[in-house]
Amino acid sequence: MNWIKNLKLRQKLLYSFFSVVLLVVVIGYMGINSLNNTEEKSIIAYKTGTLPLSQLGEFQEAFQRGRFNLLEAIIAKSEDVDRQLSQSQAKFDKADKFLELLEKGLVKGEGKTVFQKVKKYVDDFYSIRERIIGKIKQGATEDALVIFQNDLNATEDKVQEAVNEFNTLKVTLAKQKADEIIETADASGYVMFILIGVGIGVALFLGVFLTKIIGEPIQKTVEMITEMSLGHLGNRLKIDTKDEIGFMAKTLDTFAEDLQLSVIGNLNKISMGDTSITVKAKDEKDEISPALIRLVQTTHDLISETTKLSKDAVEGKLKTRGDANKFDGGYKEIINGINDTLDAVVQPIYESSKVLETMAEGDLTARMDGNFQGDFQIISNSVNKLAESFNTALSQVRDAVEATASASTEISSSAEE
């Protein structure tokens, strides 16, 4: 059955359709053939049974009318004799035509022997009729009547017996043909019933089979796509057929594998700070790989930029700032945030350094007057307190020096006196 599974979907559907069509054609052919056989047998039954019986009835009617006209000619007046004989001859001619039709329609072995008996007695009847006609024309009507009543009637009885035998034979044959037609119709009905049953069975089998080899894999595919939409990438279809469904399954398995290893795997590496991965676009329409490449490049650039800022800060290069214009969105905010952090750290350092430098030059009035927050305000307050302490101490020293100088002057003046 693997070769069926490996067929393309179009071929599966076409073969199934053609199978059903072929079955329908076979059923139709058998039905038509059965009807044709029944029709042929009906025609044969009509030609060999019904039609001959009808022709035989026509023959008997014409034959009896001809016989009656012959009797009328015997007893008729002289001026009516020719007319009666002419009518009698016309009736017998008509009877002969039906007799010829009967003979043409006979099938070998079906009543030909009996028909020959009918024909022989009819010929004997016609011979006696000619004798009667001769007597009539001679004026010997009494002799003609005697021949009619004796010889002609006896021969007519034989004709009737042969006709009855032929009629019985045809009725029997007609019944046999009717029985054959009924038997053929019953057999055809039985065959049609079997074929229809087979057709229904084949249709059901094809429906179940196609559902199994097409519907089930598609259902599995839908389930896998649903799982993938939920981020569950561990499932695999593992369908190895060579049709469109097998190709779709292999493509989906490959896609899931690529997502799990290449995309998710690389994202995990990036999340752990590994930007050494290499990603290549599959073709010019690939949208996933370029996005991943940009993510790797941006992350790498961000790490490089922040590393540079950290290194310069450690080395005391506090004027170094990150280039935020290299980035967009949240990454740009990160660099701007670091720059703002450096500004917030460096500004109190610069201002405290400037104050200390001014103090070193002897100006103890310098103070940090920037608006700082948190620990930076503590530093600012400490520097200002230091400057204030230095200023107070120096004032005290200056006062002490001045007092000492004044005392020395007074001592010197007293000593001179």
Side-chain angles (χ1 to χ4, degrees), residues 324-368:
N325 293 325
K326 291 182 179 179
F327 305 95
D328 296 307
Y331 298 109
K332 187 173 185 177
E333 291 179 5
I334 291 174
I335 299 301
N336 283 331
I338 293 175
N339 289 339
D340 291 342
T341 300
L342 287 173
D343 289 340
V345 171
V346 170
Q347 182 63 30
I349 292 175
Y350 278 159
E351 191 164 341
S352 62
S353 176
K354 184 178 180 182
V355 169
L356 292 174
E357 184 179 351
T358 303
M359 289 172 62
E361 293 175 353
D363 184 1
L364 300 180
T365 62
R367 298 290 185 273
M368 291 180 64

Side-chain angles (χ1 to χ4, degrees), residues 94-351:
K94 184 177 180 181
D96 288 342
K97 288 181 180 179
F98 283 110
L99 206 62
E100 289 176 3
L101 291 175
L102 273 171
E103 187 175 17
K104 289 179 180 179
L106 289 176
V107 179
K108 184 177 180 181
E110 291 187 350
K112 276 207 168 186
T113 301
V114 179
F115 180 79
Q116 291 302 323
K117 285 173 64 177
V118 174
K119 193 172 182 182
K120 177 182 178 301
Y121 291 140
V122 169
D123 289 341
D124 292 343
F125 182 90
Y126 285 161
S127 296
I128 297 172
R129 186 194 65 171
E130 291 300 325
R131 285 169 53 199
I132 292 173
I133 292 174
K135 293 294 184 180
I136 292 173
K137 290 182 178 181
Q138 291 174 6
T141 57
E142 293 183 0
D143 293 339
L145 184 60
V146 171
I147 295 172
F148 184 93
Q149 292 176 342
N150 295 322
D151 297 343
L152 191 67
N153 283 344
T155 304
E156 193 271 335
D157 290 340
K158 292 180 180 179
V159 170
Q160 190 61 44
E161 289 177 2
V163 167
N164 290 338
E165 183 180 356
F166 184 78
N167 185 66
T168 302
L169 177 63
K170 283 298 179 181
V171 170
T172 302
L173 290 174
K175 186 176 183 305
Q176 290 177 354
K177 294 295 183 182
D179 291 340
E180 289 179 6
I181 292 172
I182 293 173
E183 184 178 349
T184 301
D186 291 342
S188 299
Y190 180 70
V191 171
M192 289 291 293
F193 178 77
I194 293 176
L195 288 176
I196 291 173
V198 171
I200 294 173
V202 170
L204 290 175
F205 169 78
L206 288 174
V208 173
F209 182 70
L210 289 176
T211 299
K212 183 175 181 60
I213 66 175
I214 296 177
E216 290 184 3
I218 290 178
Q219 180 61 33
K220 289 182 180 179
T221 303
V222 171
E223 291 174 359
M224 180 173 175
I225 292 174
T226 302
E227 288 293 305
M228 291 178 65
S229 69
L230 298 174
H232 307 160
L233 303 178
N235 294 339
R236 298 293 182 270
L237 292 173
K238 297 180 181 179
I239 298 175
D240 58 356
T241 57
K242 296 181 181 178
D243 59 355
E244 291 87 346
I245 293 178
F247 178 76
M248 179 178 64
K250 289 183 179 65
T251 303
L252 195 58
D253 285 348
T254 302
F255 179 60
E257 188 80 10
D258 185 63
L259 281 178
Q260 192 173 39
L261 298 180
S262 299
V263 179
I264 304 301
N266 286 331
L267 287 175
N268 286 331
K269 289 181 180 179
I270 294 171
S271 68
M272 291 184 290
D274 183 1
T275 59
S276 63
I277 60 177
T278 301
V279 181
K280 294 183 179 179
K282 294 178 175 58
D283 55 34
E284 59 183 11
K285 295 182 179 180
D286 185 3
E287 296 183 21
I288 296 177
S289 297
L292 196 57
I293 292 171
R294 288 193 298 272
L295 176 60
V296 172
Q297 186 62 47
T298 301
T299 305
H300 181 270
D301 292 344
L302 181 63
I303 292 173
S304 297
E305 196 72 18
T306 54
T307 301
K308 176 186 175 184
L309 290 173
S310 299
K311 182 180 178 182
D312 286 353
V314 170
E315 293 177 354
K317 301 175 182 178
L318 300 180
K319 292 183 179 181
T320 302
R321 296 293 182 270
D323 187 359
N325 293 325
K326 291 182 179 179
F327 305 95
D328 296 307
Y331 298 109
K332 187 173 185 177
E333 291 179 5
I334 291 174
I335 299 301
N336 283 331
I338 293 175
N339 289 339
D340 291 342
T341 300
L342 287 173
D343 289 340
V345 171
V346 170
Q347 182 63 30
I349 292 175
Y350 278 159
E351 191 164 341

